């Protein structure tokens, strides 16, 4: 089966009946079996995977945003009933529950296939520091795959899965994307929950997403991103879902480092490809501005030269004390240094970092995003093993500052060297501008006209996918999936995004005399409750048609979600509730209907 696993192709096949979820799971397992065994540390059993496929097949493909989409999980992120090793056999344990992000993706219809290889304890940008072997680079196994999320990247590039989860503390979600011709999304810190993640640097860690294209990365992000009160570092997105700051607009200005601040470590091919990429952005209508990159570089040096290495030591302190021989020699050499710092060193570095943050803030008043190389060069395994510490450090030149300065970023493939090895650039913006960067990445991918990953497939749309021309609407009653008026959404091309709830500031009423029965929701600051909602992506061209069907006393207003963000959705005029039965105690229109029946 020579089939692309990008999400659009799979969705079209499911809707047309060309194949089933079970067919795709069997093909996934066949591709994994025929491929490099060092990509995966653990693959779930065929019986369990096919059982999940059968459960999904019983549902409407339109009801789940990631219906039947196979994905891989880096083996420092928990998947229920599978072992988590962080590429250290002595650390191995079986997870009782999915990590929060995995659970959200699974609820949206995606199927976690198994756990992928990595640089041990997510320490490295190279992909060669694992007792489970070195996953071969998708284009040439003599070259490093990039790390630490090596297996996650290679599995997507070879078309074994549609997307994968990695992590990114210092560049682990971007460097492997560059070296395997993928989109690598490093989300804003705290946007994706870290519950169920083995920490590297707990205050900086991000779960990242590898995908064949920017649209697939965006589809996974929209499902996975939500505030998680169980994660002390989780943050609600302060930008509303329909904010124009989340999307592409014409006339954006981008910053590039001054020529003397660029570093390619003698690699003329990467230099030329970077210049071509910048020229392509300008040809697309973006305006270039040279910036001073020095505060970013200074911040980057703090990551491994400062006290943040102590966080890596904290994360595995019992293991490194009791069984230091269990660690890869290079990993151990890096992490052991974390014990040497003092509290004074930590505060000194914190003060320096805050100064760098302040210095970079004014930059964002004149540019919308930065465009840097993702990496300055690409090493062979032989080169890397001859000088593992320094060459790894070189690969972090454009990545190590990102989480320290609280930025969002997307790695985008843009070309190939004469040796047919991939190159890409990274788009950078302040935190919570992830979707804006993805929309820019999409335009750049179209212009670059590259195949997806190491597959033979290309899929280039003449316009932005419909999901980028849509805005979410929150529904709390008869328009929810499976209820009588849901067809008014689906007939206009709306697609389900996710289930959620309001903030605890709303009251729900059963409106009398409505057919079919409808609720009315009003805001009450002092006596409210959290009410169940569904978010649906409605094409912007269809909003007028949808709103015209809404009868009085209902209307569309701003609704506060449980994570503190706001979205357009159904509200009711206060006067209509005077003769209505309050059903807030049920916290859900569905639950009220069940109780009444």
């Amino acid at each position: 089966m020579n089939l692309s696993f990008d999400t659009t192709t799979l969705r079209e096949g499911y809707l047309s009946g060309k194949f089933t979820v079970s067919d795709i799971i069997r093909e996934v397992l066949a591709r994994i079996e025929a491929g490099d065994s060092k990509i995966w540390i653990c693959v779930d059993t065929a019986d369990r995977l096919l059982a999940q496929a059968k459960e999904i097949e019983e549902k409407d493909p339109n009801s789940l945003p990631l219906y039947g989409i196979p994905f891989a999980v880096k083996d420092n992120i928990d998947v229920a009933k599978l072992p988590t090793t962080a590429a250290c056999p002595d650390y191995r344990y079986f997870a009782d529950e999915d990590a929060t992000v995995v659970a959200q993706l699974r609820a949206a219809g995606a199927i976690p296939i198994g756990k992928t290889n990595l640089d041990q304890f997510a320490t490295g940008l190279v992909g060669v520091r694992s007792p489970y072997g070195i996953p071969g680079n998708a284009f040439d196994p003599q070259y490093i795959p990039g790390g630490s999320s090596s297996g996650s990247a290679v599995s997507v590039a070879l078309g074994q899965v549609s997307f994968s989860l990695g992590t990114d503390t210092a560049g682990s979600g971007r460097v492997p994307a560059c070296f395997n011709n993928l989109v690598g999304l490093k989300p804003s810190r705290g946007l994706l929950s870290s519950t169920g993640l083995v920490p590297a640097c707990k205050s900086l860690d991000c779960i990242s997403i590898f995908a064949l294209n920017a649209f697939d990365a965006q589809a996974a992000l929209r499902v996975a991103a939500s505030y998680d009160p169980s994660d002390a570092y989780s943050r609600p997105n302060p930008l509303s879902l329909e904010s124009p700051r989340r999307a592409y607009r014409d006339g954006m200005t981008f910053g590039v480092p001054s020529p003397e601040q660029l570093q390619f470590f003698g690699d003329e091919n990467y230099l030329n490809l970077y210049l071509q990429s910048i020229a392509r952005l300008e040809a697309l209508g973006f305006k270039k501005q040279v910036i001073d990159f020095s505060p970013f570089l200074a911040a980057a040096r703090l990551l491994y030269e400062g006290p943040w290495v102590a966080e890596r030591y904290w994360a595995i302190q019992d293991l490194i004390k009791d069984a230091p021989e269990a660690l890869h020699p290079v990993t151990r050499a890096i992490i052991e240094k974390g014990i040497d710092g003092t509290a004074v060193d930590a505060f000194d570095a914190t003060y320096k970092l805050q100064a760098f943050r302040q210095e970079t803030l004014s930059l964002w008043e004149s540019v919308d995003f930065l465009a840097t190389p993702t990496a300055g060069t690409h090493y062979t395994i032989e080169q890397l093993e001859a000088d593992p510490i320094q060459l790894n450090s070189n690969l972090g030149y454009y990545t190590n500052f990102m989480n320290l300065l609280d930025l969002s970023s997307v790695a985008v493939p843009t070309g190939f060297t004469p040796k047919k090895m991939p190159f890409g650039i990274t788009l950078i913006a302040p935190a919570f501008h992830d979707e804006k960067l993805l929309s820019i990445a999409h335009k750049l991918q179209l212009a670059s006209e590259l195949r997806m990953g190491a597959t033979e497939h290309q899929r280039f749309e003449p316009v932005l996918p419909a999901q980028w021309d849509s805005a979410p609407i929150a529904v709390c009653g008869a328009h929810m999936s499976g209820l009588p008026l849901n067809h008014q959404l689906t007939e206009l091309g709306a697609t389900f995004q996710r289930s959620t709830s309001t903030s605890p500031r709303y009251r729900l009423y059963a409106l009398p005399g409505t057919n079919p029965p409808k609720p009315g929701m009003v805001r009450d600051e002092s006596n409210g409750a959290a009410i169940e909602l569904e978010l649906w992506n409605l094409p912007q061209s269809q909003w007028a048609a949808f709103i015209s069907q809404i009868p009085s006393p209902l209307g569309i207003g701003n609704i506060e979600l449980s994570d503190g963000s706001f979205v357009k959705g159904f509200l009711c005029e206060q006067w209509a509730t005077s003769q209505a039965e309050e059903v807030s105690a049920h916290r859900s229109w569905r639950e009220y209907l069940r109780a009444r029946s």
Side-chain angles (χ1 to χ4, degrees):
M1 182 188 291
N2 184 22
L3 176 72
S4 174
F5 275 0
D6 69 278
T7 61
T8 301
T9 298
L10 291 185
R11 179 173 176 77
E12 289 175 349
Y14 291 143
L15 288 170
S16 68
K18 187 176 181 180
F19 44 76
T20 67
V21 182
S22 295
D23 292 334
I24 294 303
I25 293 303
R26 293 188 186 94
E27 177 65 15
V28 168
L29 294 174
R31 293 183 185 187
I32 291 172
E33 179 67 25
D36 178 2
S37 63
K38 297 182 287 297
I39 296 171
W40 299 81
I41 290 178
C42 172
V43 177
D44 206 348
T45 66
D47 287 346
R48 283 205 297 239
L49 291 171
L50 288 170
Q52 292 177 63
K54 290 295 184 185
E55 288 181 15
I56 292 170
E57 287 167 357
E58 295 175 357
K59 301 177 181 179
D60 180 355
N62 286 311
S63 69
L64 295 171
L66 295 176
Y67 178 97
I69 303 299
F71 72 103
V73 182
K74 185 176 180 178
D75 195 23
N76 60 344
I77 303 169
D78 287 346
V79 174
K81 299 181 181 179
L82 296 184
T84 299
T85 71
C88 180
D90 286 5
Y91 185 80
R92 184 175 184 261
Y93 65 89
F94 276 83
D96 295 325
E97 298 179 346
D98 287 333
T100 298
V101 169
V102 174
Q104 288 172 284
L105 292 166
R106 198 195 291 268
I111 300 177
I113 300 300
K115 312 292 289 296
T116 50
N117 205 350
L118 65 150
D119 279 328
Q120 191 177 72
F121 291 112
T123 301
L125 294 174
V126 290
V128 303
R129 301 171 182 168
S130 171
Y132 296 96
I134 301 173
N137 180 281
F139 291 87
D140 186 341
Q142 294 184 78
Y143 282 80
I144 62 171
S148 60
S149 311
S150 52
S152 290
V154 175
S155 65
V156 177
L158 293 177
Q160 296 179 343
V161 289
S162 299
F163 71 91
S164 66
L165 298 180
T167 62
D168 193 317
T169 304
S172 297
R174 290 159 281 154
V175 170
C178 175
F179 292 167
N180 291 278
N181 196 42
L182 297 174
V183 167
L185 169 65
K186 187 216 74 69
S188 302
R189 273 182 12 219
L191 188 59
L192 272 63
S193 169
S194 290
T195 300
L197 165 67
V198 177
C201 291
K202 194 175 180 67
S203 65
L204 300 178
D205 291 337
C206 294
I207 290 181
S208 65
I209 298 169
F210 295 98
L212 293 165
N213 55 59
F215 171 59
D216 288 2
Q218 185 239 30
L221 173 69
R222 286 196 168 183
V223 167
S226 68
Y227 175 68
D228 177 8
S230 70
D231 174 11
Y233 287 94
S234 183
R235 298 189 290 179
N237 191 336
L239 301 184
S240 65
L241 290 173
E242 67 271 17
S243 169
R245 288 190 290 166
R246 293 172 67 116
Y248 162 82
R249 59 179 171 78
D250 291 329
M252 284 182 172
T253 298
F254 69 98
V256 298
S258 59
E260 69 275 10
Q261 293 171 330
L262 289 169
Q263 177 62 268
F264 293 95
F265 309 99
D267 192 331
E268 291 292 323
N269 292 323
Y270 261 35
L271 167 60
N272 292 334
L273 286 167
Y274 175 64
L275 297 177
Q276 291 172 23
S277 302
I278 296 307
R280 190 170 295 134
L281 281 172
E282 291 183 287
L284 288 170
F286 299 104
K287 302 171 184 175
K288 184 179 74 172
Q289 178 177 312
V290 177
I291 62 138
D292 179 11
F293 201 51
S294 59
F296 295 90
L297 297 175
R301 287 191 288 272
L302 290 174
L303 188 62
Y304 281 100
E305 296 175 11
W308 283 273
V309 179
E311 281 200 275
R312 294 183 182 270
Y313 186 91
W314 174 88
I316 59 167
Q317 55 187 308
D318 291 338
L319 179 67
I320 203 168
K321 288 176 186 174
D322 299 338
E325 69 284 352
L327 273 68
H328 187 283
V330 177
T331 305
R332 176 180 170 185
I334 293 169
I335 295 178
E336 276 185 333
K337 295 178 181 178
I339 198 65
D340 296 335
T342 67
V344 174
D345 295 331
F347 278 106
D348 180 64
T350 301
Y351 300 148
K352 288 177 180 176
L353 178 59
Q354 190 60 32
F356 296 142
R357 285 175 177 163
Q358 289 293 97
E359 194 174 347
T360 59
L361 282 179
S362 61
L363 169 69
W364 303 111
E365 297 174 6
S366 60
V367 301
D368 295 287
F369 64 97
L370 303 182
T372 72
T374 299
T377 189
H378 190 177
Y379 297 114
T380 64
I381 294 173
E382 183 179 5
Q383 288 173 313
L384 191 282
E385 290 180 341
D387 192 0
I389 302 294
Q390 183 58 53
L391 298 196
N392 185 97
S393 178
N394 292 350
L395 295 179
Y397 186 85
Y398 298 105
T399 65
N400 285 353
F401 59 81
M402 204 75 67
N403 287 338
L404 289 169
L405 295 177
D406 197 15
L407 303 173
S408 56
S409 61
V410 178
V412 193
T414 57
F416 281 84
T417 70
K419 291 185 177 181
K420 303 189 185 309
M421 297 301 293
F423 169 83
I425 66 172
T426 293
L427 310 175
I428 304 164
F432 303 112
H433 287 67
D434 310 81
E435 294 210 25
K436 177 180 76 175
L437 294 179
L438 284 167
S439 61
I440 298 167
H442 175 81
K443 291 185 71 70
L444 187 55
Q445 271 196 292
L446 295 185
S448 299
E449 298 184 340
L450 304 178
R451 56 179 170 154
M452 295 187 292
T455 74
E456 301 174 1
H457 304 287
Q458 286 181 294
R459 188 178 186 88
F460 297 112
E461 309 290 343
V463 295
L464 286 175
Q467 283 80 347
W468 268 311
D469 187 35
S470 65
I473 184 169
V475 297
C476 63
H479 286 90
M480 298 172 82
S481 55
L483 296 184
L485 296 182
N486 183 249
H487 68 90
Q488 291 183 352
L489 284 169
T490 58
E491 287 171 358
L492 294 175
T495 57
F496 177 80
Q497 185 188 118
R498 62 185 171 96
S499 297
T500 184
S501 64
T502 69
S503 67
R505 297 181 178 88
Y506 292 86
R507 300 174 79 171
L508 194 67
Y509 296 85
L511 299 176
T514 56
N515 185 31
K518 300 181 185 71
M521 189 169 72
V522 297
R523 188 175 174 98
D524 188 322
E525 293 288 339
S526 56
N527 295 301
I531 306 299
E532 179 191 16
L533 298 175
E534 286 182 355
L535 297 185
W536 285 74
N537 289 323
L538 179 63
Q540 293 182 4
S541 60
Q542 300 296 335
W543 272 72
F546 181 72
I547 291 173
S548 69
Q549 302 178 71
I550 299 173
S552 176
L554 300 177
I556 299 295
N558 291 315
I559 295 176
E560 184 180 13
L561 302 182
S562 57
D563 64 5
S565 62
F566 284 83
V567 64
K568 295 288 189 285
F570 277 87
L571 289 173
C572 181
E573 295 182 68
Q574 186 74 45
W575 64 263
T577 64
S578 60
Q579 302 299 317
E581 176 190 3
E582 183 171 358
V583 297
S584 304
H586 294 279
R587 298 179 182 270
S588 163
W589 182 244
R590 277 202 185 91
E591 289 303 316
Y592 164 72
L593 293 177
R594 290 191 188 102
R596 192 181 68 163
S597 63

